[in-house]
Amino acid sequence: MKNSITTRKNVSTNKYHKMRKATMVVLLSLMATVLMSCFAVTAYATTGNGGTAPIVNTTAFINTAERVLTAIICLTGAGILFFGIYNIAEANSEENPAGKTKGIKMIASGIGIIIIAVTLIPVLMDMMRGAV
């Protein structure tokens, strides 16, 4: 009797996980479709002489996006770095080796994120400038 109850629980759990996975796939597909359609829209307006010109100055937009993205990612990396230092200090006071390891990993992650922000974002923005 116990095995049949356990089997029913496993079957219902498997059905739940399959349903959840299917729901996630559908939602991610919808989100990807919406994002792709947003990036595919080109906005143009007519100028006074009857020609067409872009509404947005793309160079200024890309420069602003570069500064904002670099700042946001650097601040995120600095926050992770700070919490890593805090974890190491707390682990040292409690003599907790697992906490020290976690703190060291967080410090390395924070430094890595900052390095990526400083080196990779300008390269990506140069690629975007070249595409426009």
Side-chain angles (χ1 to χ4, degrees), residues 60-118:
F61 174 74
I62 291 172
N63 290 338
T64 304
E66 180 179 4
R67 284 195 309 270
V68 169
L69 283 174
T70 303
I72 289 172
I73 295 173
C74 282
L75 288 173
T76 303
I80 292 172
L81 183 90
F82 172 76
F83 282 113
I85 293 169
Y86 176 78
N87 278 341
I88 287 180
E90 186 177 353
N92 278 337
S93 67
E94 297 174 1
E95 296 181 12
N96 181 5
K100 291 178 187 176
T101 304
K102 182 179 176 184
I104 291 171
K105 288 178 184 178
M106 288 178 75
I107 289 173
S109 299
I111 292 171
I113 290 171
I114 292 170
I115 289 172
I116 286 173
V118 171

Side-chain angles (χ1 to χ4, degrees), residues 42-58:
T42 307
Y44 287 101
T46 59
T47 59
N49 60 5
T52 59
I55 292 175
V56 179
N57 182 357
T58 55

Side-chain angles (χ1 to χ4, degrees), residues 14 21 23 43 49 65 108:
N14 288 338
K21 187 176 181 180
T23 304
N49 60 5

Side-chain angles (χ1 to χ4, degrees), residues 61-62 65 69 122-132:
F61 174 74
I62 291 172
L69 283 174
V123 171
L124 292 174
M125 293 302 161
D126 287 339
M127 288 172 55
M128 287 180 67
R129 285 185 198 101
V132 174

